[in-house]
Amino acid sequence: MRVCRFRFDDLILTGFYGDDVVIPLDQAAEMYSRETGCELLLPSTEDLLDLLPPAGESYALARELDAWIEGLDVMDRDELTIPCDEVRLLVPLPNPSKLLFLAGNYAKHVAERGGTAAEREETFPYVFMKPPSTTLTHPGDPIEIPTASPDQIDWECELGVVIGRRCRDVTEAEALDYVAGYTVVNDISDRGFRPNPGRKTRERDKFFDWQHGKWHDTFCPMGPCILSADAVDDPQDLPIKLTVNGQIKQEASTAEMVFPVAAVIAFLSQFVTLEPGDVIATGTPSGVGSATGTYLKPGDLVRATIAPIGTLENPVEAEAEEEF
């Protein structure tokens, strides 16, 4: 089951996602009640977590409705659908309390950046954060090249893990029981950010330049939907692909992670309480632009795909002038 948020006729709605179409949840529930004679009391909600495992109040009803839609003939299903080009897809989670990102979680990506990945038993996941309110970017909205540092803006397609139930100090064996679903995240990165060029060099400048280069506005496109956790047998068996202007830049599998999803959740929960709606982006495979000195520029089109979740598409533009 894939669920999404979208704007249609000035309304923010929830629905089922189907690559090039959406199905509004309220219309689907109305047709179900009319056609089956059994009223489906699906509460109105803008929160996709309500529709997802393990704790969504309407998860069972949403799953039943999704299965019923799958059984419809093409003509009846078409009656419910709205083409995606007639709506504005929105980030699946508008206000996550935490956006957590892994650095160096694919050995080949570490190697292409000039490093050597340690074996899992010898180290631990490197985690950083992004500010949700200013980095989150809707599907279809532009990634903005910052005026302050425009020359080395890079892409990173990542599997996003959505937490569905509060957890602390969970084991790796039970970690996936706390996942609501999965989405696509593009961890846009400024490889050349050097604030205050005339500064006096300090020991930790390099690390903080790297970290601050993650924080520019629009640097976290996310979507186009959330795939429910029960539809994913193994999160370590998902294909990842990213293209820029139709040219394949990244193509890999989540099987290549150093720390798998369950291990990441278990690690974080040792010292951070994970809450419903938190998103963990699990690192990117090789194929980033910095490996070849190829970076994003205005006019580019980036498409990040993780099957069977979907494709997150964003154009690239120069930073817009702020009006106050």
Side-chain angles (χ1 to χ4, degrees):
M1 181 174 68
R2 293 185 291 177
V3 291
C4 64
R5 297 172 63 249
F6 59 94
R7 184 180 292 276
F8 182 66
D9 287 344
D10 295 325
L11 297 173
I12 295 178
L13 302 173
T14 55
F16 298 114
Y17 179 75
D19 290 328
D20 55 355
V21 298
V22 295
I23 296 177
L25 218 65
D26 55 353
Q27 292 186 30
E30 183 180 328
M31 177 184 275
Y32 176 95
S33 299
R34 184 174 67 248
E35 295 294 326
T36 66
C38 300
E39 187 174 7
L40 188 71
L41 298 175
L42 193 63
S44 177
T45 181
E46 290 185 17
D47 187 352
L48 296 185
L49 292 178
D50 290 341
L51 309 173
L52 293 166
E57 293 182 1
S58 299
Y59 164 58
L61 292 176
R63 187 176 180 182
E64 178 181 347
L65 183 58
D66 181 63
W68 178 77
I69 291 171
E70 287 297 314
L72 292 175
D73 60 40
V74 174
M75 187 173 297
D76 286 338
R77 191 181 301 120
D78 286 349
E79 184 180 333
L80 291 170
T81 62
I82 304 173
C84 281
D85 58 11
E86 295 181 13
V87 305
R88 183 191 181 198
L89 289 168
L90 304 175
V91 290
L93 299 160
N95 299 299
S97 57
K98 292 187 279 296
L99 284 179
L100 300 158
F101 289 74
L102 262 68
N105 198 31
Y106 286 74
K108 290 181 181 178
H109 172 55
V110 174
E112 74 176 349
R113 298 274 295 151
T116 301
E119 294 295 328
R120 173 183 168 182
E121 292 77 12
E122 300 172 352
T123 185
F124 60 89
Y126 288 157
V127 184
F128 63 96
M129 301 181 75
K130 289 194 178 194
S133 63
T134 49
T135 60
L136 274 177
T137 300
H138 301 297
D141 279 9
I143 298 162
E144 295 190 353
I145 303 294
T147 303
S149 179
D151 298 327
Q152 296 184 40
I153 309 305
D154 209 344
W155 55 81
E156 295 189 15
C157 182
E158 308 197 6
L159 175 67
V161 180
V162 180
I163 298 299
R165 189 169 65 191
R166 183 183 175 93
C167 63
R168 178 67 191 266
D169 202 23
V170 301
T171 67
E172 187 170 338
E174 64 188 356
L176 296 184
D177 294 339
Y178 294 85
V179 175
Y182 302 91
T183 190
V184 183
V185 174
N186 195 348
D187 173 21
I188 303 299
S189 305
D190 181 353
R191 309 293 190 193
F193 192 46
R194 301 291 183 271
N196 190 7
R199 67 197 183 185
K200 179 180 178 180
T201 301
R202 294 176 295 174
E203 180 182 354
R204 291 182 289 175
D205 280 3
K206 185 176 181 180
F207 167 76
F208 280 100
D209 286 346
W210 171 86
Q211 182 171 233
H212 295 159
K214 298 283 190 176
W215 292 356
H216 294 301
D217 294 352
T218 75
F219 270 28
C220 186
M222 184 170 72
C225 64
I226 297 175
L227 174 66
S228 61
D230 62 340
V232 179
D233 292 332
D234 183 1
Q236 307 311 138
D237 188 29
L238 300 175
I240 294 180
K241 183 170 73 172
L242 181 140
T243 66
V244 179
N245 302 327
Q247 183 178 359
I248 295 175
K249 300 294 186 179
Q250 293 183 288
E251 192 165 25
S253 167
T254 56
E256 299 174 26
M257 289 182 190
V258 177
F259 294 93
V261 170
V264 172
I265 295 171
F267 169 75
L268 284 167
S269 73
Q270 291 176 28
F271 56 95
V272 175
T273 297
L274 297 174
E275 302 168 293
D278 287 351
V279 179
I280 305 169
T282 51
T284 199
S286 61
V288 297
S290 58
T292 59
T294 306
Y295 297 103
L296 294 174
K297 60 186 185 302
D300 287 343
L301 181 66
V302 184
R303 303 182 85 240
T305 302
I306 300 179
I309 302 170
T311 294
L312 172 63
E313 181 175 302
N314 297 92
V316 180
E317 297 181 359
E319 182 179 16
E321 291 188 11
E322 193 73 39
E323 295 183 5
F324 295 98

